[in-house]
Amino acid sequence: MTATLTSARAKGPVPPLALFDTDALLEPEERDIAATVRRFVDTALRPNIADWFESATLPKELARAFGKLGLLGMHLDGYGCAGTNAVSYGLACLELEAGDSGFRSFVSVQGSLSMYSIHRYGSEEQKQQWLPRLAAGEAIGCFGLTEPDFGSNPGGMRTRARRDGSDWILDGTKMWITNGGFADVATVWARTEDGVRGFVVPAGTPGFTAHNISRKLSLRASVTSELVLDGVRLPASAELPAARGLSAPLSCLNEARFGIVFGALGAARDSLETTIEYTRQREVFDRPLSSYQLTQEKLANMTLELGKGVLLALHLGRLKDREGVHPEQISLGKLNNVREALAIARECRTLLGASGITLEYPALRHANNLESVLTYEGTSEMHLLSIGKALTGHAAFRA
């Protein structure tokens, strides 16, 4: 992620994370993966992100570029997936989100929601049909759980699946679905007589349509859609055979939230590194802005929170790679790291002054994106209550 403190000092001012020597906590392969993704972001994505954000565009062909790099489903085994450890996946998410949250969202939804749902709960036929194509970026996937009136309470979903002979008929609406507008396949969750079940729904199935959501102020370089299912007929083989109950989609969300624990820190790091460089060059009253005490206080406080967030993310990653990580621990990571990343991006904007409201600098773009990251895949309030339940044994979000 950055150089060691000793080597960095020899070159002048040190990068924020060098003060924590976080690279010393990584294995060589993990450092190599992070460096490879960072180079890709710097060369292929960063030069275009301002234009994509302004035009509310995410080129579909990026899927193949992500696939070629091995980013799609990289923490899964087999079927063309890279099979890396959780920390490597987290570091890739961090580097992607240093470019833009839209990039990490795409990779996260593809790998940790669409692919993971099929990998863990699908039949062998479903895995063979979809996972190699999704891993290569030859197909794009999405995950249909959230509904217009049911975000934090997915158990209240109104989408229904009913039997008609050996087939299933699905009716309902899903909302705020990342990748939905250009997805080739959707994992859709619906209520049946026997509880919540998951279904693999190919794009183009009669009655299944996607409508992109426009006029967004956040995650503009990302496709966000409404999915409509109107009498969608699916064969019995479309059901995810191992998915039983709401715990199945929630386990998928936990995979995606893990990526956010790391990813949000990328947006924070990018904002902070850019701002430090700006304050060193910007002169105020004939002195560099970085030479003032109030500026240094802001930079020091932001560096402290960034480093603490990275240490927390790495700890959770090591837990996940060893014995597994619990949902309430993921809640700790997402709540803290997204909240602090958003605060860092906002504070960086103040140091950038008027220049900070333009797309020439990334801080406000990151802050706008993090407003969405703060509430999707579990709002801060729900993560607070998840932690509270673990501490007290009482589920405060249920009457």
Side-chain angles (χ1 to χ4, degrees), residues 138-353:
E138 296 170 1
I140 294 174
C142 67
F143 186 86
L145 178 63
T146 299
E147 297 188 359
D149 296 319
F150 297 97
S152 295
N153 179 24
M157 71 175 69
R158 295 194 181 106
T159 299
R160 293 290 187 269
R162 59 181 175 84
R163 287 283 194 181
D164 184 30
S166 62
D167 291 344
W168 288 98
I169 307 295
L170 272 62
D171 291 282
T173 302
K174 301 295 183 179
M175 194 67 169
W176 309 113
I177 307 303
T178 299
N179 298 352
F182 55 22
D184 299 287
V185 63
T187 298
V188 174
W189 301 91
R191 185 175 299 282
T192 74
E193 290 184 352
D194 298 318
V196 173
R197 298 290 184 267
F199 299 88
V200 177
V201 185
T205 302
F208 177 52
T209 56
H211 310 283
N212 287 346
I213 297 168
S214 60
R215 306 182 73 182
K216 295 186 297 180
L217 298 175
S218 178
L219 286 178
R220 291 178 57 79
S222 177
V223 174
T224 311
S225 311
E226 174 191 43
L227 306 182
V228 178
L229 302 107
D230 183 9
V232 173
R233 179 177 291 272
L234 299 170
S237 60
E239 182 183 358
L240 294 173
R244 290 292 180 267
L246 197 57
S247 62
L250 293 183
S251 72
C252 301
L253 285 176
N254 221 42
E255 288 292 307
R257 288 167 182 155
F258 173 79
I260 293 173
V261 172
F262 279 83
L265 300 170
R269 189 196 68 192
D270 187 54
S271 298
L272 182 54
E273 289 180 343
T274 301
T275 300
I276 291 172
E277 181 61 27
Y278 175 87
T279 61
R280 294 181 63 229
Q281 303 298 324
R282 175 80 160 112
E283 290 200 355
V284 179
F285 297 109
D286 302 319
R287 290 171 52 191
L289 179 58
S290 60
S291 69
Y292 289 93
Q293 291 182 359
L294 289 177
T295 300
Q296 292 191 8
E297 179 189 30
K298 290 182 176 183
L299 297 176
N301 281 331
M302 289 188 287
T303 295
L304 181 62
E305 295 307 323
L306 173 63
K308 286 157 60 177
V310 170
L311 293 175
L312 173 58
L314 289 173
H315 175 62
L316 294 177
R318 296 299 180 211
L319 286 178
K320 195 173 193 301
D321 280 325
R322 292 199 300 268
E323 64 269 17
V325 64
H326 297 286
E328 53 266 31
Q329 293 175 311
I330 296 294
S331 287
L332 285 169
K334 182 179 187 289
L335 174 66
N336 181 79
N337 288 3
V338 179
R339 186 164 63 184
E340 296 305 325
L342 179 56
I344 288 170
R346 288 170 173 168
E347 188 78 291
C348 285
R349 210 294 301 167
T350 70
L351 290 171
L352 293 167

Side-chain angles (χ1 to χ4, degrees), residues 13-251:
V14 301
L17 290 178
L19 289 174
F20 294 84
D21 208 4
T22 50
D23 269 7
L25 303 176
L26 305 179
E27 299 297 327
E29 183 179 3
E30 294 166 347
R31 286 195 291 270
D32 290 343
I33 288 172
T36 298
V37 180
R38 188 168 191 173
R39 284 193 299 270
F40 172 76
V41 170
D42 287 343
T43 57
L45 303 181
R46 196 178 298 280
N48 302 300
I49 184 53
D51 290 336
W52 291 338
F53 188 87
E54 188 168 32
S55 63
T57 301
L58 183 71
K60 186 175 182 178
E61 56 268 23
L62 284 179
R64 290 181 181 268
F66 291 143
K68 185 176 181 180
L69 205 61
L71 295 174
L72 303 178
M74 62 183 288
H75 57 308
L76 304 178
D77 292 316
Y79 306 98
C81 301
T84 67
N85 66 0
V87 170
S88 295
Y89 170 59
L91 294 172
C93 287
L94 187 152
E95 297 299 341
L96 286 167
E97 198 146 356
D100 191 80
S101 298
F103 305 141
R104 196 269 310 145
S105 290
F106 179 94
V107 169
S108 179
V109 168
Q110 179 95 342
S112 290
L113 292 179
S114 173
M115 294 176 67
Y116 181 81
S117 64
I118 296 172
H119 190 276
R120 178 165 178 179
Y121 298 110
S123 66
E124 186 60 30
E125 179 184 358
Q126 290 166 339
K127 295 175 185 179
Q128 294 288 353
Q129 179 181 3
W130 289 109
L131 291 179
R133 295 174 59 201
L134 291 166
E138 296 170 1
I140 294 174
C142 67
F143 186 86
L145 178 63
T146 299
E147 297 188 359
D149 296 319
F150 297 97
S152 295
N153 179 24
M157 71 175 69
R158 295 194 181 106
T159 299
R160 293 290 187 269
R162 59 181 175 84
R163 287 283 194 181
D164 184 30
S166 62
D167 291 344
W168 288 98
I169 307 295
L170 272 62
D171 291 282
T173 302
K174 301 295 183 179
M175 194 67 169
W176 309 113
I177 307 303
T178 299
N179 298 352
F182 55 22
D184 299 287
V185 63
T187 298
V188 174
W189 301 91
R191 185 175 299 282
T192 74
E193 290 184 352
D194 298 318
V196 173
R197 298 290 184 267
F199 299 88
V200 177
V201 185
T205 302
F208 177 52
T209 56
H211 310 283
N212 287 346
I213 297 168
S214 60
R215 306 182 73 182
K216 295 186 297 180
L217 298 175
S218 178
L219 286 178
R220 291 178 57 79
S222 177
V223 174
T224 311
S225 311
E226 174 191 43
L227 306 182
V228 178
L229 302 107
D230 183 9
V232 173
R233 179 177 291 272
L234 299 170
S237 60
E239 182 183 358
L240 294 173
R244 290 292 180 267
L246 197 57
S247 62
L250 293 183
S251 72

